[in-house]
């Protein structure tokens, strides 16, 4: 409560009359009929405003704006929101802690108390993005005489099945990231209200769902809804449990941690009605990929989506969480499922305390936030209502380059063939017709194989989207069991992996007896973390890479992830498809995505018998029977009781104890950033942009993976040259994501994605044209030359600039390159906020105006007069100059 200044203290009452110390703000006592017509998600915003109303950061007028949502939601009214907590993962968490450490230095230099820089809002950081699939089922080695040859043709490899992949990957993760982990451990001691979940524990969103989520907070005797923001765009997964949360940029998250509310436009809320019964062969993945495509078509960018209708009650919390997880892929801010009896049953199943369950239910019912999806009288008002019949959902995948490009499994073969022929784009590879059936032979483990377009070379059961869901994980296990019993196997050169989101998954897969069958098909546990989904897929066998390269093949990755943008999964898989875990196994067995499972056998066994996918596919009833027996509360309690202490190497790790971090000038992982250098007590006015050059001329859907890649550091890159100069060998480069604590590496990694398409070059490459000299060079090198000349820089882009992961380095990196503004047709919400936070102006063309309609080539010079008093959505003039002559101006 915000002290005695809160004008709503009269709403406070005891949750239980027998215990007056346990209180809450009873919104029902507002006596306002508008409250019960509000969407449930907006009620959470209202409660936060009421509880935190102090007349300064949160005003009484803000409460009225939220209460009057039906009228104000169409008027772009801004309101403050103070989440209950913040969640971070290590790729985005390390930069945040680096910023906090640098802030302490800056405050000290200004004569202040560094202890003032401390999280006020509780923060949990889960280390899950560092581990890579370096080791999986096959161990490769070369004969001794082979390793001595400088030039080798037809390399000979020896392979053996390994059983220690998990331990090897975890050991290597720790060896690579020891500096980062020491820094994070320092942060957990130096800062209050910050908890670190050690590596090897699981994926942040699954750990949040199964363990961290409170649903209702009880803080010093005051009850209020659990809510959060996170530095990962898939923070929305927790919405499936009825906890309102979404992803924000690291800069916004840091502000929240320091006690500042988020300023947000009061959102429109799209009601998504679910009805009907899913087909018995349908998985939650099929449902979410269908929802994703549908909502992309509806248009929900910047809006909340709230699910309702009788179909919701048929979905488990894991199913709902899967749908909520992919909220960023359909463009919404949040995807909310209000709490109901199914939610409470899930909390019980995952081992939550019975006393907590009692007050959760009691509190939510008292404030009219507990839902009965079959009671239409509870349906609130929505901005818009759209519907989906669950019985109409069919098995599907998404790809080959975007998660919203859904394809029915029955159409996969024909769709891939059409993509081969289509021009380069989201659904095209521009392969010449005469090469559509090309193949390339190679040797692996002493046997002859061949690859062709569509051959599967990566098959990964990965990502919190699916590994949090027992139904699809057990479905994969049961399919594996039936496949092995039918005599089927996976070709040995396909890189298979299983990376669960928590130790609970391994527990129930073993107890149910399906783990051995997964292992026999190559899907052994290789780590607990994001792994392939984030791009940490590790290396492919050299013979496979050589065959792909030599044949210029469009090889395929199939993964149960949530993102498949170009260059994200692996540099050598140009086609990547999102699919349910059972379908990942199916395509791995088939060895290709160019297959029609309805008419073609998935494989032929050793006895020459054709086996079809329908012969081995488990039904929902089979899966649910196993889930009821083996997914039990004691598993969750056993795993999570020791989660913060189970990693012995983390426990033994020493870390500094100083209040100020002792920066090591030799470190290539952790470096004091330049963002606070020269900080003064007085605010500097914004500066205008004068005669800026265009650094990059980009098209539509440039993702944060294009802007600031998270995967491996290419040996030919600017970042690689920097690390080599520091004495590191390529094997020690690690990934861009792991080096986000070092601005020198990250600036050099900005726009370093090999799939970046720059119109200046008319091809994919992490390079650009230095306009004054006409030279083609790496993006960083060009930016450095511009900066040395004192030139301002801008970027031209199309629609959906900055889509994808909530990656603050996708704004910090361009800032360090000297980019002053981006001119685009539209932006992803989180990235736009990050740009603003770094002082890079996100300029948006007026409706109907594009670079093409204006005839812009990117060779012009751009000037923008920036007024001292900036306001969102204000019009400014951008003046274009070509050959030192101003030709025109346009409002942006």
């Amino acid at each position: 409560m915000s002290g005695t200044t809160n004008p709503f203290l009269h709403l406070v009452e005891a949750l239980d009359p027998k215990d007056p110390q346990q209180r809450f703000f009873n919104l029902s006592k507002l006596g306002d009929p508008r409250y019960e017509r509000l969407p449930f998600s907006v009620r959470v915003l209202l409660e936060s405003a009421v509880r935190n109303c102090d007349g300064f950061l949160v005003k009484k007028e803000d409460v009225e704006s939220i209460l009057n949502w039906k009228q104000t939601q169409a008027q772009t009214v801004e309101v403050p929101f103070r989440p209950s907590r913040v969640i971070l993962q290590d790729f985005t968490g390390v930069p945040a802690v680096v910023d906090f450490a640098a802030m302490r230095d800056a405050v000290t230099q200004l004569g202040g108390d560094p202890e003032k820089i401390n999280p006020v809002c509780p923060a949990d950081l889960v280390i899950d993005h560092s581990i890579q699939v370096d080791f999986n089922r096959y161990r490769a080695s070369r004969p001794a005489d082979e390793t001595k040859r400088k030039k080798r043709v037809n390399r000979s490899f020896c392979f053996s099945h390994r059983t220690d992949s998990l331990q090897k990957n975890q050991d290597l993760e720790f060896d690579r990231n020891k500096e980062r982990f020491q820094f994070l451990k320092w942060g957990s001691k130096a800062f209050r209200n910050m908890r670190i979940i050690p590596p090897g524990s699981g994926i942040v969103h699954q750990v949040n769902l199964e363990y961290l989520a409170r649903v209702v907070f009880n803080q010093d005797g005051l009850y209020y809804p659990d809510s959060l923001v996170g530095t990962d765009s898939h923070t929305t997964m927790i919405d499936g449990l009825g906890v309102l949360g979404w992803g924000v940029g690291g800069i916004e998250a840091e502000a929240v941690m320091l006690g500042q509310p988020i300023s947000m436009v009061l959102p429109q809320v799209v009601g998504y009605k679910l009805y009907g019964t899913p087909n018995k062969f349908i998985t939650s993945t099929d449902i979410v990929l269908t929802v994703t495509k549908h909502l992309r078509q509806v248009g929900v960018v910047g809006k909340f989506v709230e699910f309702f209708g009788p179909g919701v009650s048929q979905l488990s919390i894991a199913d709902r969480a899967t749908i909520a997880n992919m909220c960023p892929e359909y463009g919404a801010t949040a995807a909310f499922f209000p709490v109901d009896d199914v939610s409470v049953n899930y909390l019980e199943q995952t081992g939550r305390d019975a006393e907590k369950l009692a007050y959760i239910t009691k509190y939510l019912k008292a404030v009219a936030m507990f839902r009965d999806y079959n009671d239409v009288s509870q349906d609130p008002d929505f901005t818009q209502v759209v519907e989906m019949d669950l019985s109409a959902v069919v098995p599907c995948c998404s790809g080959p380059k975007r998660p919203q490009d859904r394809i029915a499994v029955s159409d996969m073969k024909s769709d891939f063939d059409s993509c081969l022929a289509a021009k380069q784009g989201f659904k095209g590879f521009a392969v010449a017709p005469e090469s559509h059936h090309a193949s390339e032979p190679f040797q692996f483990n002493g046997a002859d194989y061949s690859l062709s377009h569509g051959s599967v070379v990566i098959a990964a059961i990965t990502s919190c989207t699916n590994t949090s869901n027992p139904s699809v994980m057990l479905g994969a296990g049961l399919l594996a069991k039936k496949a092995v019993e039918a005599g089927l196997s996976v070709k040995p050169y396909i890189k298979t992996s299983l990376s669960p989101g928590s130790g609970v998954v391994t527990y129930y897969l073993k107890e149910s007896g399906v783990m051995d069958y997964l292992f026999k098909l190559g899907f052994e546990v290789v780590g607990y973390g994001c792994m392939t989904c984030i791009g940490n897929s590790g290396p492919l066998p050299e013979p496979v890479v050589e065959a792909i390269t030599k044949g210029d093949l469009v090889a395929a990755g199939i993964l149960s992830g949530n993102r498949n943008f170009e260059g994200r999964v692996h540099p050598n898989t140009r086609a990547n498809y999102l699919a349910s875990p059972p379908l990942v196994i199916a395509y791995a067995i088939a060895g290709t995505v160019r297959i029609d499972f309805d008419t073609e056998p998935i494989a032929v066994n050793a006895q020459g018998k054709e086996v079809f996918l329908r012969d081995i596919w488990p039904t929902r009833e089979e899966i649910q029977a196993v889930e009821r027996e083996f997914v039990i509360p004691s598993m969750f309690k056993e795993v999570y009781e020791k989660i913060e202490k189970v990693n012995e190497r983390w426990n033994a790790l020493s870390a500094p104890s100083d209040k100020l971090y002792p920066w090591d000038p030799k470190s290539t992982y952790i470096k004091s950033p330049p963002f606070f250098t020269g900080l003064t007590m007085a605010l500097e006015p914004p500066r205008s942009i004068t005669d800026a050059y265009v650094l990059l001329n980009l098209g539509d859907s440039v993702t944060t993976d294009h802007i600031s890649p998270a995967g491996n550091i290419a040996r030919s890159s600017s970042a690689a040259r920097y690390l080599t100069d520091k004495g590191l060998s390529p094997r020690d480069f690690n990934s861009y994501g792991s080096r986000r604590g070092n601005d020198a590496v990250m600036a050099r990694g900005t726009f370093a994605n090999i799939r970046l398409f720059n119109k200046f070059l008319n091809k994919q490459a992490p390079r650009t044209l230095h306009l004054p000299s006409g030279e083609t060079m790496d993006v960083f090198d060009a930016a450095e030359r511009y900066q040395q000349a004192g030139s301002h820089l801008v970027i031209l882009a199309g629609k959906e600039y900055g889509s994808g992961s909530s990656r603050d380095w996708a704004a910090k990196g361009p800032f360090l390159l000297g980019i002053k503004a981006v001119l685009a047709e539209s932006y992803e919400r989180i990235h736009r906020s990050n740009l603003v936070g770094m002082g890079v102006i996100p300029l948006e063309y007026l409706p109907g105006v594009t670079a093409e309609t204006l005839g812009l080539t990117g060779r012009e010079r751009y000037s923008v007069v920036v007024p001292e008093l900036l306001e969102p959505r204000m019009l400014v003039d951008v003046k274009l100059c070509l050959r030192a002559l101003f030709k025109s101006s346009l409002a942006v």
Side-chain angles (χ1 to χ4, degrees), residues 766-795:
R767 294 168 69 78
T768 195
L769 185 67
H770 180 254
L771 294 171
S773 67
E775 293 181 54
T776 298
M777 56 183 68
D778 287 349
V779 175
F780 174 80
D781 297 335
E784 189 174 47
R785 188 178 293 189
Y786 281 121
Q787 285 184 301
Q788 289 169 352
S791 300
H792 289 176
L793 294 172
V794 297
I795 287 174

Side-chain angles (χ1 to χ4, degrees), residues 361-406:
T361 303
K362 190 169 186 176
Y363 167 78
L364 292 175
K365 287 183 175 180
V367 292
M369 292 188 195
F370 197 90
R371 189 75 163 92
D372 179 350
Y373 288 99
N374 294 306
D375 183 357
V376 295
S377 69
Q378 286 192 13
D379 292 351
D381 293 330
F382 292 113
T383 307
Q384 175 188 3
V385 172
V386 292
E387 301 182 351
M388 190 178 82
D389 182 356
L390 292 173
S391 66
V393 176
V394 298
C396 55
C397 300
S398 280
K401 302 180 185 181
R402 296 191 303 181
Q404 64 261 41
D405 293 329
R406 172 191 162 276

Side-chain angles (χ1 to χ4, degrees), residues 636-689:
F636 293 87
K637 287 182 178 178
E638 184 175 336
V639 168
Y640 284 112
E641 278 176 355
K642 55 188 180 183
I643 191 170
E644 294 179 47
K645 300 177 182 178
V646 72
N647 191 316
E648 294 180 4
R649 291 193 66 176
W650 174 266
N651 297 338
L653 188 65
S654 60
S657 56
D658 315 55
K659 292 180 182 178
L660 299 179
Y661 186 70
W663 307 99
D664 180 0
K666 297 179 181 178
S667 174
T668 57
Y669 278 100
I670 305 297
K671 178 176 174 289
S672 181
F675 309 126
F676 304 101
T677 303
L679 187 69
T680 64
M681 296 297 290
L683 289 175
E684 291 188 12
R687 297 176 182 176
S688 294
I689 301 168

Side-chain angles (χ1 to χ4, degrees), residues 319-340:
D319 291 339
R320 299 176 194 180
T322 298
I323 295 169
N325 177 282
M326 286 193 71
C327 174
E329 280 64 54
Y330 41 85
T333 300
F336 194 63
F337 289 83
V339 174
D340 68 343

Side-chain angles (χ1 to χ4, degrees), residues 88-90 123-131 170 173-174 177 180-182 184-185 188 194-204 207-208 211-212 500-503 527-530 639-653:
L88 312 98
Q89 38 90 340
D90 57 304
D124 296 303
L125 191 156
V126 181
I127 300 174
D128 66 351
H129 275 52
S130 304
I131 192 166
Q170 289 181 335
E173 174 195 20
F174 219 95
N177 296 281
R180 297 172 66 244
F181 293 168
Q182 284 178 319
L184 288 175
K185 196 161 189 179
S188 68
M194 180 176 286
R195 172 170 50 176
I196 306 288
I197 303 298
S201 303
I203 302 174
V204 56
V207 174
N208 191 20
Y211 175 61
L212 298 175
S502 81
Y528 296 95
C530 300
V639 168
Y640 284 112
E641 278 176 355
K642 55 188 180 183
I643 191 170
E644 294 179 47
K645 300 177 182 178
V646 72
N647 191 316
E648 294 180 4
R649 291 193 66 176
W650 174 266
N651 297 338
L653 188 65

